[in-house]
Amino acid sequence: MSRGSSGSGIVNFKNLLTKTEHYDKDERYMAISDLCEALKRNAAQANSEGVSTNSSSNYNTQLIDSQTERRICSAVLGLLDDSSNDVQTVAVKTLSVLLVSVQEEQVVEIADRLCTLVLDKSKSDLRDVYAIGLKTLVETVPSSMGNVVSHRLIGRLVEGIHGNAAVVAGASGSNSEEKASEEIVLACLNVLTDLLTRFGSSANSITLQHEALLNVTLSQLASPRPVVRKRSGTTIGVLATVISDALLHRLVDRLLEQIDRADGLGKSGKKRARNAHKGGGRTLASSDLRSADTRALIRTICTVSGTVGHRLNQAHIDRIVPIFLRFCDPDDAVAGDDEDLDNDEDMGDADLSGNGGVGDDADEAMKIELRESCFAGFESFVLRCPALIQPHLDQIVLSSLAYIRYDPNYSYGDEDDDSADDDEENEVDEFEEEEDDEYSDEDDMSDDEDDENWKVRRGAIRTLTAVVEASKHDPSKLWIAEYAWRKHSEKKATVASALINRFKEREENCRVDIIECFTRLLSYTVAAASSGVLFLASSSKCDDESLSATGVVVDLRTKASSAIVKECEKQLSAKKGGERSKSSAIALLSTLCLAPGGIGGLEQVTSVFRYMKSILDTDDDAKLRRQVMANSKSLKLEALCLVRIMLSCKKHRPADIKQALLPILLPEICQCVNEDWYKVIAEALRVIMEIPSLLVAGSATKEEMDNVANSLYTAIEPKLSEHDLDQEIKECALSASASLLAILHSSLSMDQTNRFFTLLLERLKNETTRIAAIKTLSIIAKAAQTNSDLDLSPIMNETLSQLSILLRQQSRAVRQGALECIDTMALCLGHESSVSMDDGLFDSVLKDLSDIVVDTDLHLCHVALSASNSILKARPSTGSLVKCHILPAILTLSKSPLLQDAALASLLRLLEQIVLSDAVSFDELRGLLAGLISEGGNKAGKQVISNIAECIATIAVVTPPSERESFIENTISAITGSLGNTKQLNLLVAGDLGRKVNLSAIPGVANSLQMIFLQCLDSDNEDTKHVAALALGRASVASMGTFLPGILSSLESSKGKKQYLLLSSLREFIHCCRETGGIALSSNIPLILPHLEKNCRNE
């Protein structure tokens, strides 16, 4: 930049700096805003020129001299304590831009100045602004300056915490001083957390202070201020991620020592604590933790375990879990339904707050928070160190099961049946504990607005979710192991049954978590069953042998399925149940569909469909509206997804699904196609797509099929004909029409069928829907091959014409789809007089197909050859066109060394059809193929010779027997009278013929060929030797009795290279037999195996 422009820039900055001192706050606001934008432009210009951070600073130094730079920094810092809040806000914003624009010296000065302002007790009113500025500096300063900035800040922040901690504790100073000191401590902890997060592991200045930081943050856990304790716990959690293992273990030990002094909560919790203290487990903590609050300590240990739980050792876990169980002992978990609810169940807990006694509400809130923190710790242990927590997992599960029902202030009214007869209890399944009037209007919860016990239940549920996640590879124990989860009750329940029983949870957040936890458990169980870890039994497929042969059996059909469906129905019908609960219930039912037996029999399917109807119904039925309050779009979408899964999962009896679907749900499904949201419309069309196959599987009557077909046509046709629709709807409408036409075409009228055909052709011509239309036509054409009453003649000409045009497109997906559709539709052409085809149509189609028969894309080549074969097979009269267009491309392709696999197989099938259709005579085609070797001379590769030999052998097989025998004799003569590639070609032709034709049935041929093959193994030409070995193995396939004994006897009498060649023949023989199914090979294994075992020992 020129000096003039540089000087102009400096003048502009000077003018702005002058305005920042203006008496009018609006002028100051405009000045700092303009200054911020100017700094942004300078930084952006430097970055656009690819300048690094340091050189960027140099660039700005050229534009802004060091004196002006210092003035800008001072002005921005001065505006941080401006009287206008708006000016302060922009000043902080400007600070973040300034930090990446100025030199390191100015950044350090800004850091020092901000830190001084934060620690200044006289700046209480603006301390928040300064703290935000310092946090902004830590977050935005370039990484290269991190160590320098950390060095200047870390010591002062630690000193600020130490210097003000005593005042905060109330040991000295006035109330105002205490408040100012508390603010300073909080600000220092806040900035320290950000500093550790960004530079804790990279800055040496912080690494050297790890121990000091640990001591000062631990000391703040003893602060009388709850907010200070909480903030220090957060800082310790971040510090734990960067300190060494030795310091981490010291940190955990000090926390556990202090927590160990707590008495616990509830009678059982206190008893646990007394037992631990009697056993010598109680120790005195360090002096700086003497007054620490138990909540803060547990919250801190939870934070540490959540971030670095994998670094803790077994000894730490073994100490932490028993301590946590003092505060969430299962025997202290009570519910309003418990008859023996103790009068002292306010739990008479010791005052853990350190405040010398607080009110009942505060004390209760403290207990809730304490238990919530313990379960958060359990959750993190289970997820992050599952191996270490394994010895304590049963205790954690028991505690979690007990506390998911922890609700002392509310009675559900259905858990008081323990006095029933033993016989009656045995008859009632553990899964089916019902409630009579869940979420009834009488449940007035207004008195419980301040009840926060749900937080404890939520923590217990999340712990169980972590257990399910940790057991996802083998969740069988959660279905089998039983726990006494209710206080003073001998009745036990598994984790699965307890979760089902708690679907009645009154707090929706907890209820949704419970349902989702069980859904996850069920999903993992189904996955484990599919991998063979356990066995999911169903009442229809269980026998003693299978049960005894399987390690673990979970019987869902007879125990859990009906209870799951019943509980989900309660959620769907609950008057006070929210949309999230209904959505979770639908998701659970969808997962249940994947298990053996699915949702159940006709009764369960009918019931579920009725609830789905109430969600999908669009009529203004007041009764239904009262049953299901939340008929949102997303809920309708989920309901349709469930119906589609039920129709397609194959776990239910099709007759049951059909019997329930047609009268209950079919009208609503068809009506959903007229909804506003495109996702609902598309999903409704997907459901419709499954219905035709269901009718066939469910043995529907002709009348039922006719009625359903008309209903489906009425729903599909408008969406298929409308153009201004979402792409997903268009594709789903095409898929639905394909299903309807392919399966229920006989139930549609001729006008309806022709209307569909007309719309399909329109969609085929449309660029956005052509691929979906091609797939639809392919499905319909495939169905027409086996259903003579599905006549495609009205659209055959135009469809093939359009598909031929699409073969010229650049899109590979379009070309592949068009080829596959032509291949399928060609087989529907029928005999010559059945469908009248346009003149020149096949000429155009075959010409376009010939352009694709190239080795650059062998898959498309394979499909094009298959389509050509289908056309020739359906219409032999096209033989001359095939000879004109396809045959030259075939001959060129045959010379390609890349030809293999599917493309080669399609080529062979087409050559067979060419001979069978008399499109080209055998002699002519053989001459053309053999001439390819003559043209190539000695340049023809082994793969090319092998491919052409297989082509010649293939067409020889389909010739008349007399002509074939004459060809074989000529081939034998050619072998003895030729050299080089021609000799190799004839050898392979003879071998491939022997693979397809029994040569021993022709007198003298098998023996002559065997002699020739064995003689060629002694040839001077190495290629001839290997070709002869392969030919001998292939010729043995159809004439085992003649060739195989000769191979085995020669193998015993030969040595060296010839023995290797004979083993190659045997390997080729086994390979070819395996391709044909290996049935004939099995009887010869006793002959072959000894020779192979013997030669395995040869070196």
Side-chain angles (χ1 to χ4, degrees):
M1 182 177 290
S2 65
R3 182 174 297 181
S5 60
S6 177
S8 176
I10 295 175
V11 171
N12 289 335
F13 279 114
K14 287 181 178 179
N15 291 338
L16 292 175
L17 292 173
T18 302
K19 290 182 180 180
T20 58
E21 301 174 357
H22 200 277
Y23 68 90
D24 187 352
K25 65 178 182 179
D26 292 335
E27 288 289 336
R28 297 197 303 275
Y29 178 82
M30 293 302 298
I32 189 64
S33 297
D34 292 343
L35 182 62
C36 181
E37 292 301 320
L39 291 171
K40 280 184 180 180
R41 286 194 297 271
N42 286 343
Q45 184 177 359
N47 291 335
S48 66
E49 296 181 4
V51 186
S52 63
T53 304
N54 292 333
S55 59
S56 175
S57 299
N58 294 335
Y59 171 83
N60 285 295
T61 303
Q62 295 175 4
L63 180 63
I64 310 172
D65 57 38
S66 58
Q67 183 179 0
T68 304
E69 202 173 69
R70 278 193 290 271
R71 285 190 60 194
I72 292 174
C73 294
S74 299
V76 173
L77 290 173
L79 291 177
L80 291 177
D81 57 0
D82 194 273
S83 59
S84 170
N85 291 336
D86 293 337
V87 174
Q88 292 177 6
T89 302
V90 180
V92 173
K93 182 179 178 181
T94 306
L95 192 63
S96 63
V97 181
L98 191 63
L99 290 171
V100 297
S101 304
V102 298
Q103 298 181 13
E104 184 177 294
E105 181 182 353
Q106 274 70 44
V107 172
V108 173
E109 289 180 6
I110 293 173
D112 282 338
R113 177 74 182 278
L114 286 173
C115 192
T116 300
L117 292 172
V118 168
L119 297 176
D120 190 346
K121 293 185 178 181
S122 63
K123 301 289 186 180
S124 297
D125 294 340
L126 296 173
R127 185 169 289 108
D128 287 344
V129 177
Y130 300 141
I132 292 173
L134 194 55
K135 282 170 62 67
T136 303
L137 182 144
V138 172
E139 292 171 358
T140 59
V141 69
S143 300
S144 59
M145 303 181 188
N147 189 52
V148 177
V149 171
S150 300
H151 178 71
R152 300 301 289 265
L153 291 180
I154 195 72
R156 301 190 64 185
L157 292 174
V158 172
E159 182 181 350
I161 296 173
H162 264 310
N164 292 276
V167 180
V168 173
S172 62
S174 62
N175 290 336
S176 60
E177 287 179 331
E178 290 181 16
K179 183 178 180 181
S181 296
E182 179 182 350
E183 291 176 353
I184 292 174
V185 171
L186 289 174
C188 290
L189 287 171
N190 210 2
V191 174
L192 191 58
T193 301
D194 290 342
L195 197 63
L196 288 170
T197 300
R198 187 162 185 215
F199 302 114
S201 58
S202 59
N204 293 330
S205 54
I206 295 181
T207 304
L208 297 174
Q209 297 290 328
H210 279 173
E211 186 169 4
L213 289 171
L214 181 61
N215 291 330
V216 73
T217 50
L218 280 172
S219 67
Q220 297 312 299
L221 292 178
S223 173
R225 306 289 193 233
V227 65
V228 174
R229 297 196 298 266
K230 190 170 185 178
R231 191 71 55 81
S232 62
T234 304
T235 305
I236 289 173
V238 177
L239 180 62
T241 62
V242 297
I243 59 178
S244 64
D245 287 344
L247 286 178
L248 175 62
H249 294 163
R250 188 190 307 175
L251 163 65
V252 175
D253 288 338
R254 293 178 68 179
L255 290 173
L256 291 177
E257 286 173 358
Q258 186 62 25
I259 296 174
D260 195 44
R261 300 178 60 190
D263 290 332
L265 292 178
K267 291 183 177 180
S268 299
K270 292 178 181 179
K271 185 177 180 180
R272 283 177 181 265
R274 287 194 297 269
N275 292 337
H277 298 160
K278 288 178 182 178
R282 185 168 185 168
T283 58
L284 293 176
S286 303
S287 59
D288 59 350
L289 290 175
R290 187 171 295 114
S291 303
D293 178 73
T294 307
R295 285 175 298 170
L297 293 167
I298 291 180
R299 185 169 52 240
T300 303
I301 200 70
C302 291
T303 302
V304 171
S305 62
T307 54
V308 291
H310 56 284
R311 293 173 58 191
L312 300 180
N313 56 38
Q314 188 68 56
H316 289 142
I317 300 296
D318 291 343
R319 288 185 62 188
I320 292 173
V321 173
I323 291 175
F324 279 14
L325 286 174
R326 297 179 197 171
F327 305 100
C328 48
D329 190 282
D331 289 339
D332 293 325
V334 294
D337 300 296
D338 293 339
E339 294 180 354
D340 56 349
L341 184 64
D342 299 325
N343 293 328
D344 59 344
E345 198 50 40
D346 49 354
M347 289 185 259
D349 299 315
D351 178 25
L352 296 171
S353 62
N355 293 333
V358 292
D360 290 343
D361 292 343
D363 192 40
E364 193 64 31
M366 178 271 296
K367 299 171 189 174
I368 291 172
E369 183 180 353
L370 194 55
R371 285 178 170 136
E372 185 183 12
S373 298
C374 288
F375 281 114
F378 286 149
E379 179 187 4
S380 63
F381 288 145
V382 172
L383 289 177
R384 293 183 174 269
C385 40
L388 300 181
I389 204 66
Q390 194 63 38
H392 308 280
L393 194 59
D394 284 341
Q395 290 180 300
I396 293 174
V397 171
L398 178 60
S399 178
S400 301
L401 288 176
Y403 277 92
I404 63 172
R405 61 184 297 274
Y406 177 71
D407 201 356
N409 300 325
Y410 185 82
S411 174
Y412 292 88
D414 66 328
E415 294 189 346
D416 54 357
D417 55 353
D418 288 339
S419 60
D421 299 327
D422 291 340
D423 293 338
E424 183 178 349
E425 286 181 0
N426 292 334
E427 293 176 2
V428 179
D429 193 280
E430 62 175 337
F431 286 97
E432 298 181 354
E433 298 182 16
E434 299 182 30
E435 52 190 332
D436 294 332
D437 193 16
E438 188 179 15
Y439 314 125
S440 65
D441 292 332
E442 296 176 1
D443 295 339
D444 186 6
M445 298 167 62
S446 60
D447 295 336
D448 299 326
E449 290 179 356
D450 298 330
D451 185 2
E452 293 190 344
N453 289 314
W454 63 271
K455 294 182 179 179
V456 179
R457 300 197 296 275
R458 181 185 62 184
I461 296 164
R462 290 179 175 175
T463 301
L464 286 177
T465 303
V467 172
V468 171
E469 187 67 30
S471 307
K472 63 182 179 181
H473 298 298
D474 183 11
S476 56
K477 185 178 180 181
L478 304 180
W479 293 90
I480 296 173
E482 294 185 333
Y483 302 87
W485 69 315
R486 292 177 59 181
K487 184 178 179 181
H488 302 310
S489 174
E490 295 181 358
K491 191 172 184 179
K492 296 183 177 181
T494 62
V495 172
S497 61
L499 288 172
I500 295 175
N501 182 263
R502 288 305 304 173
F503 283 8
K504 62 194 171 191
E505 167 65 46
R506 63 185 175 117
E507 175 64 36
E508 184 169 28
N509 288 329
C510 294
R511 184 166 63 249
V512 170
D513 286 347
I514 289 173
I515 298 174
E516 290 179 349
C517 177
F518 184 81
T519 303
R520 185 175 299 186
L521 171 59
L522 183 59
S523 175
Y524 290 151
T525 304
V526 173
S530 64
S531 61
V533 176
L534 51 83
F535 180 76
L536 276 179
S538 65
S539 60
S540 60
K541 292 186 180 179
C542 278
D543 54 68
D544 295 337
E545 274 186 39
S546 63
L547 295 182
S548 60
T550 308
V552 181
V553 179
V554 176
D555 189 358
L556 290 178
R557 181 73 178 269
T558 58
K559 288 187 176 180
S561 294
S562 59
I564 295 170
V565 174
K566 191 173 295 184
E567 293 296 334
C568 288
E569 288 172 353
K570 291 179 182 179
Q571 303 303 322
L572 295 172
S573 62
K575 298 175 183 179
K576 291 188 178 181
E579 183 178 334
R580 291 181 60 211
S581 298
K582 292 178 172 60
S583 177
S584 299
I586 291 174
L588 175 53
L589 290 173
S590 300
T591 305
L592 184 60
C593 289
L594 304 177
I599 287 177
L602 177 61
E603 180 182 353
Q604 287 77 22
V605 170
T606 302
S607 179
V608 170
F609 278 173
R610 285 200 179 101
Y611 287 106
M612 295 304 102
K613 176 181 179 179
S614 64
I615 294 175
L616 300 176
D617 192 16
T618 56
D619 295 335
D620 295 328
D621 191 323
K623 183 178 180 180
L624 290 176
R625 289 298 182 187
R626 287 196 300 270
Q627 286 181 347
V628 180
M629 304 280 296
N631 287 2
S632 70
K633 294 179 180 179
S634 60
L635 200 61
K636 284 187 177 182
L637 178 62
E638 291 166 358
L640 287 168
C641 288
L642 172 59
V643 175
R644 176 174 54 82
I645 292 172
M646 291 178 66
L647 266 60
S648 61
C649 68
K650 311 301 182 186
K651 300 295 183 181
H652 307 93
R653 290 182 64 248
D656 293 343
I657 298 290
K658 182 212 68 175
Q659 186 175 345
L661 177 73
L662 299 188
I664 297 175
L665 211 52
L666 182 61
E668 278 66 32
I669 293 173
C670 294
Q671 189 62 32
C672 283
V673 175
N674 299 320
E675 286 284 339
D676 296 330
W677 194 26
Y678 77 97
K679 285 188 175 293
V680 172
I681 299 173
E683 191 61 36
L685 289 169
R686 292 190 187 98
V687 175
I688 288 174
M689 184 173 58
E690 301 292 340
I691 294 177
S693 57
L694 172 70
L695 295 180
V696 175
S699 302
T701 64
K702 183 66 168 65
E703 182 181 359
E704 287 176 333
M705 288 188 177
D706 292 345
N707 293 334
V708 172
N710 283 310
S711 298
L712 299 186
Y713 174 83
T714 304
I716 297 171
E717 191 273 337
K719 299 304 174 185
L720 194 59
S721 60
E722 192 173 345
H723 292 279
D724 189 16
L725 288 174
D726 186 85
Q727 180 69 14
E728 187 177 359
I729 297 176
K730 295 177 182 178
E731 293 179 357
C732 289
L734 285 165
S735 299
S737 64
S739 176
L740 180 57
L741 277 172
I743 300 173
L744 298 182
H745 51 270
S746 59
S747 297
L748 296 174
S749 66
M750 185 61 66
D751 291 339
Q752 290 174 333
T753 303
N754 290 335
R755 175 61 177 164
F756 266 148
F757 285 161
T758 302
L759 294 174
L760 288 177
L761 287 175
E762 290 181 8
R763 294 302 186 189
L764 183 62
K765 297 174 184 177
N766 188 294
E767 184 178 357
T768 60
T769 57
R770 59 174 52 144
I771 293 180
I774 289 171
K775 293 178 181 178
T776 301
L777 288 167
S778 297
I779 294 172
I780 297 171
K782 188 174 182 180
Q785 294 174 15
T786 56
N787 295 276
S788 59
D789 54 342
L790 180 54
D791 184 13
L792 299 184
S793 58
I795 60 169
M796 185 64 74
N797 281 281
E798 190 169 358
T799 300
L800 289 178
S801 177
Q802 287 297 323
L803 292 173
S804 178
I805 294 173
L806 294 179
L807 294 180
R808 306 164 197 166
Q809 295 287 327
Q810 292 296 320
S811 171
R812 187 180 186 277
V814 172
R815 295 166 70 197
Q816 180 176 339
L819 285 168
E820 292 172 350
C821 190
I822 291 173
D823 188 14
T824 307
M825 293 199 71
L827 297 175
C828 303
L829 288 171
H831 52 82
E832 300 285 347
S833 60
S834 59
V835 181
S836 176
M837 304 302 296
D838 294 342
D839 295 336
L841 177 60
F842 287 126
D843 183 69
S844 174
V845 172
L846 291 171
K847 184 177 181 181
D848 290 325
L849 288 174
S850 66
D851 295 334
I852 305 176
V853 181
V854 291
D855 62 356
T856 54
D857 191 329
L858 285 180
H859 181 70
L860 289 185
C861 176
H862 146 66
V863 185
L865 290 169
S866 179
S868 303
N869 184 34
S870 298
I871 292 174
L872 184 58
K873 186 183 296 184
R875 292 296 174 90
S877 60
T878 59
S880 60
L881 298 176
V882 170
K883 181 179 180 181
C884 176
H885 299 301
I886 303 297
L887 185 58
I890 287 176
L891 295 175
T892 303
L893 179 66
S894 301
K895 296 187 294 184
S896 172
L898 303 176
L899 180 61
Q900 57 185 322
D901 299 333
L904 177 59
S906 295
L907 174 61
L908 296 176
R909 286 193 294 270
L910 179 55
L911 289 172
E912 279 185 2
Q913 193 60 44
I914 288 175
V915 175
L916 290 173
S917 303
D918 291 330
V920 182
S921 66
F922 166 71
D923 290 333
E924 181 182 358
L925 186 55
R926 183 196 60 79
L928 292 172
L929 290 169
L932 299 175
I933 300 298
S934 302
E935 293 174 5
N938 294 327
K939 296 181 180 179
K942 295 179 182 179
Q943 184 65 37
V944 175
I945 296 173
S946 177
N947 289 341
I948 294 176
E950 191 168 1
C951 292
I952 295 174
T954 299
I955 61 176
V957 171
V958 296
T959 57
S962 59
E963 191 173 349
R964 185 193 313 139
E965 292 177 9
S966 175
F967 169 71
I968 293 173
E969 292 175 359
N970 294 334
T971 302
I972 294 174
S973 301
I975 293 174
T976 57
S978 60
L979 298 172
N981 290 343
T982 304
K983 187 182 186 74
Q984 296 171 26
L985 175 65
N986 287 310
L987 283 169
L988 290 173
V989 168
D992 286 322
L993 267 172
R995 184 165 56 171
K996 302 172 186 293
V997 178
N998 184 4
L999 297 178
S1000 60
I1002 305 174
V1005 170
N1007 292 328
S1008 299
L1009 278 176
Q1010 185 175 24
M1011 187 181 301
I1012 292 172
F1013 290 149
L1014 294 174
Q1015 288 175 353
C1016 288
L1017 293 180
D1018 297 322
S1019 173
D1020 296 334
N1021 190 308
E1022 290 295 325
D1023 290 339
T1024 301
K1025 289 181 181 180
H1026 287 288
V1027 167
L1030 294 177
L1032 177 59
R1034 293 175 185 177
S1036 305
V1037 175
S1039 307
M1040 293 185 189
T1042 302
F1043 286 92
L1044 186 58
I1047 295 175
L1048 296 177
S1049 61
S1050 299
L1051 185 61
E1052 289 300 317
S1053 60
S1054 302
K1055 294 182 180 179
K1057 181 68 174 179
K1058 188 173 182 179
Q1059 192 177 39
Y1060 171 78
L1061 292 172
L1062 288 167
L1063 284 171
S1064 299
S1065 299
L1066 195 57
R1067 181 185 61 188
E1068 184 70 10
F1069 163 72
I1070 295 172
H1071 173 73
C1072 294
C1073 287
R1074 188 176 59 184
E1075 287 183 346
T1076 60
I1079 299 175
L1081 178 64
S1082 58
S1083 61
N1084 290 289
I1085 289 178
L1087 291 175
I1088 300 173
L1089 198 56
H1091 297 278
L1092 295 179
E1093 291 175 346
K1094 179 181 179 180
N1095 285 281
C1096 284
R1097 295 188 290 270
N1098 289 343
E1099 298 181 0

